[in-house]
């Protein structure tokens, strides 16, 4: 009598495989639930933290007042004014910038098939910041001749996007050849591009006046302190395409992880996927830099931590990176407001203090694996 297929499969270790897949799905669901709670908790704290402390109960009342327009009392009206005009734009901007940087890090690591790729580390953020610096210092001379001169806030994200796009494309061309990506060339080209951008930015700093110098300092260190509804609406055109593209790019990056030749034989339009990833990363990083300045290491820390927790499946890694990146940046912003209160510490300092040791640890771990 022949053995039933499922019983034979279980007898050959299939039951162990099914149990392992179930445990992986349960762990992934638990991690996603934890990330959602973390985003909610950091958002509530961010809304209530400031010169005027607002507890969670009053925070929800203030939000309800802002939505309905009917304050229960004078305190609710004051809280609603503070939250809606100052803290809610800052919180939303932090969520979108953190999610964008983390997802872009995961996308670049999937494109280059290397966990060391990061928009800030390999010079993409530097290119976006350089373009933004050009607009800040030289914009008064050239913007009047451009068609969007009446909307100067549009020029900054457009310039940052073009700078990030140019640097991303140059980086890809320099580090890829014969269907393979050289990790050493990737890192060295990123360092070289970042140094070139830093040199030009330094020259612009030398030529800038006092107001421009303060603006350049903001871009170089990164901060959410200047968050407004205008900046929130400015980053939305970049954030929405990024969110829409995640489900489609996840499967493509999974195929690319096998190698470009293998992905091509599976029917994946490899070159088109590359162009889409490059444009999406440049758009999102450019908008993030234009809104909050240069904030490094979020794109390298977040995806790597999530790979340890839920694996390398990009269909779940990309949305999980968005959640953890948003929570991480908001938590950094909260710390930035608390450490030197009543002043604010630039977020870029905190993320670099956390991310630089993590990057060194990752380099040492990879060297041990090679040897």
């Amino acid at each position: 009598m022949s053995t039933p297929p499922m019983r034979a499969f279980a007898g050959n270790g299939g039951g162990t495989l099914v149990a392992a897949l179930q445990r992986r799905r349960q762990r992934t669901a638990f991690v996603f639930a934890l990330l959602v709670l973390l985003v909610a908790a950091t958002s509530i704290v961010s809304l209530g933290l400031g010169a005027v402390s607002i507890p969670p109960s009053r925070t929800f009342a203030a939000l309800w007042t802002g939505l309905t327009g009917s304050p229960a009392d004078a305190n609710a009206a004051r809280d609603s004014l503070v939250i809606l005009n100052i803290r809610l734009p800052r919180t939303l901007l932090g969520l979108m910038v953190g999610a964008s940087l983390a997802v872009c890090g995961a996308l670049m690591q999937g494109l280059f098939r290397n966990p060391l790729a990061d928009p800030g580390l390999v010079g993409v953020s530097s290119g976006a910041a350089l373009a933004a610096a050009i607009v800040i210092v030289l914009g008064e001379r050239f913007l009047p001749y451009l068609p969007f001169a009446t909307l100067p806030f549009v020029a900054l994200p457009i310039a940052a996007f073009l700078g990030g796009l140019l640097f991303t494309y140059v980086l890809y061309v320099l580090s890829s050849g014969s269907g393979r990506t050289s990790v050493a060339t990737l890192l060295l080209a990123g360092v070289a591009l970042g140094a070139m951008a830093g040199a030009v930015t330094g020259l612009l700093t030398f030529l800038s006046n006092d107001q421009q110098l303060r603006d350049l300092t903001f871009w170089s260190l990164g901060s959410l302190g200047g968050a407004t509804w205008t900046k929130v609406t400015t980053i939305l055109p970049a954030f929405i395409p990024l969110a829409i593209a995640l489900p489609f790019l996840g499967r493509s990056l999974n195929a690319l992880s096998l190698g470009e030749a293998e992905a091509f034989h599976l029917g994946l339009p490899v070159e088109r996927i590359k162009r889409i990833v490059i444009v999406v990363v440049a758009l999102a990083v450019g908008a993030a830099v234009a809104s909050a300045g240069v904030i490094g290491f979020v794109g390298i820390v977040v995806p790597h931590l999530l790979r340890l927790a839920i694996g390398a499946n990009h269909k779940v890694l990309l949305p999980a990176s968005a959640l953890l990146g948003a929570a991480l940046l908001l938590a950094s912003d909260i710390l930035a407001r608390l450490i030197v209160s009543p002043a604010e510490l630039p977020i870029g300092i905190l993320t670099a203090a956390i991310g630089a040791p993590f990057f060194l640890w990752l380099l040492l771990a990879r060297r041990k694996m090679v040897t």
Side-chain angles (χ1 to χ4, degrees), residues 78-171:
R78 183 200 63 182
D79 295 344
S80 177
L81 185 65
V82 171
I83 289 179
L84 292 181
N85 293 334
I86 300 176
R87 297 183 188 172
L88 185 57
R90 181 171 188 150
T91 301
L92 292 177
L93 185 65
L95 290 173
M96 288 189 289
V97 169
S100 298
L101 293 176
V103 170
C104 288
L107 288 174
M108 291 194 67
Q109 291 165 19
L111 177 65
F112 291 108
R113 299 190 297 281
N114 188 278
L116 300 180
D118 169 70
L121 186 65
V122 298
V124 179
S125 295
S126 299
L130 171 60
I134 293 174
V135 171
I136 291 173
V137 178
L138 304 178
E140 294 180 357
R141 299 180 183 179
F142 299 105
L143 282 182
Y145 303 99
L146 297 179
F148 45 78
T150 56
L151 298 175
F153 65 88
V154 176
L156 203 57
I158 289 178
F161 161 66
L162 293 177
L165 178 63
L166 176 62
F167 271 58
T168 305
Y169 178 76
V170 172
L171 178 68

Side-chain angles (χ1 to χ4, degrees), residues 133 144 246 286 339 346 358:
L246 290 189
I339 292 178
F358 182 85

Side-chain angles (χ1 to χ4, degrees), residues 76-280:
R78 183 200 63 182
D79 295 344
S80 177
L81 185 65
V82 171
I83 289 179
L84 292 181
N85 293 334
I86 300 176
R87 297 183 188 172
L88 185 57
R90 181 171 188 150
T91 301
L92 292 177
L93 185 65
L95 290 173
M96 288 189 289
V97 169
S100 298
L101 293 176
V103 170
C104 288
L107 288 174
M108 291 194 67
Q109 291 165 19
L111 177 65
F112 291 108
R113 299 190 297 281
N114 188 278
L116 300 180
D118 169 70
L121 186 65
V122 298
V124 179
S125 295
S126 299
L130 171 60
I134 293 174
V135 171
I136 291 173
V137 178
L138 304 178
E140 294 180 357
R141 299 180 183 179
F142 299 105
L143 282 182
Y145 303 99
L146 297 179
F148 45 78
T150 56
L151 298 175
F153 65 88
V154 176
L156 203 57
I158 289 178
F161 161 66
L162 293 177
L165 178 63
L166 176 62
F167 271 58
T168 305
Y169 178 76
V170 172
L171 178 68
Y172 179 78
V173 171
L174 292 176
S175 61
S176 300
S178 302
R180 302 181 62 183
T181 300
S182 172
V183 178
T185 305
L186 169 69
L187 295 177
L188 292 175
V191 171
L193 290 174
M196 291 172 57
V200 180
T201 303
L203 176 62
L204 293 173
T205 302
F206 176 76
L207 298 175
S208 62
N209 56 37
D210 291 341
Q211 180 60 45
Q212 293 169 349
L213 183 60
R214 286 192 291 269
D215 293 337
L216 289 174
T217 303
F218 163 78
W219 298 119
S220 63
L221 297 178
S223 174
L224 299 178
T228 61
W229 284 113
T230 299
K231 289 188 176 181
V232 172
T233 55
T234 299
I235 197 176
L236 272 177
F239 183 76
I240 292 176
L242 179 67
I244 294 175
L246 290 189
F248 305 99
L249 293 178
R251 181 177 299 179
S252 301
L253 291 178
N254 285 342
L256 276 176
S257 64
L258 302 174
E260 293 186 10
E262 290 78 2
F264 177 78
H265 289 303
L266 290 174
L268 184 72
V270 176
E271 293 302 322
R272 186 172 67 184
I273 293 300
K274 290 179 184 177
R275 289 192 294 267
I276 292 174
V277 171
I278 288 174
V279 171
V280 168

Side-chain angles (χ1 to χ4, degrees), residues 288-308:
V289 170
S291 303
V294 179
I295 301 175
F297 292 101
V298 175
I300 193 172
V301 172
V302 170
H304 190 77
L305 289 177
L306 289 173
R307 285 192 190 92
L308 298 176

